Each structure stands twice: as C-alpha cells, then as structure tokens.
Amino acid sequence: MKVVLLAALGLFLGTLGGAALGIGAGLAFVEIAQTTNFEGQNGMLVFFTFMPLGAAIGGISGAVLFGLLAMRDDAIALEREPAAPGDR
C-alpha cells in the first residue's frame, strides 16, 4: 500500500514539475527558433505541445522514481521505529 501511495504522490508531483519544465522549455524554444507569433501561435505551441509532453514525461518518471524508492525499505526510512523503553 505504501508503494502505491508514494507512486501516486510521485505521479502528482512529477506532473506538476514536468508541466512547469515543459513551459520553460517551450518558451526557450520559441525564443531560440524565433517562431511567428501570429494570432498567438507561440502560446498555443507552448501550452498545447510542450506543457502536455513535459507533464506526461514528468508524471511517469516521478511515479517510477517514488515507487522505486518506496520498494527499497532499507534506503529510505518512511516509518519511524517505536522508541525503546529506556531511550527517553
């Protein structure tokens, strides 16, 4: 259950981060390629091409990364161990 929940969290966070990076990459591409801005073509290119691609790639990679981290219990401590009676 922990793996599924962390994979869903990774999907959500990866989608948000990937969409933001996609917008940044799209804006950089528009400036470097000097595409025409007739009737908002630059905005449509960025928000209908680069943002969905970035969101898809980021979502998949975030879900895979968080899922792999959750499966490795020894590498990341997700649950605290109960304190021993004499450790206070």
Side-chain angles (χ1 to χ4, degrees):
M1 188 68 178
K2 174 177 56 176
V3 175
V4 173
L5 290 175
L6 279 174
L9 178 67
L11 176 70
F12 178 72
L13 293 176
T15 301
L16 290 177
L21 289 175
I23 290 172
L27 290 175
F29 175 78
V30 165
E31 289 298 320
I32 292 170
Q34 296 179 352
T35 59
T36 180
N37 197 19
F38 181 70
E39 293 185 355
Q41 286 180 350
N42 285 346
M44 287 190 289
L45 175 67
V46 169
F47 286 100
F48 291 134
T49 303
F50 284 95
M51 186 179 70
L53 283 175
I57 293 169
I60 291 170
S61 61
V64 168
L65 178 68
F66 275 46
L68 287 176
L69 286 176
M71 285 193 301
R72 294 182 49 175
D73 284 335
D74 59 337
I76 184 169
L78 296 174
E79 299 174 0
R80 295 190 334 171
E81 295 293 326
D87 285 346
R88 283 192 169 208

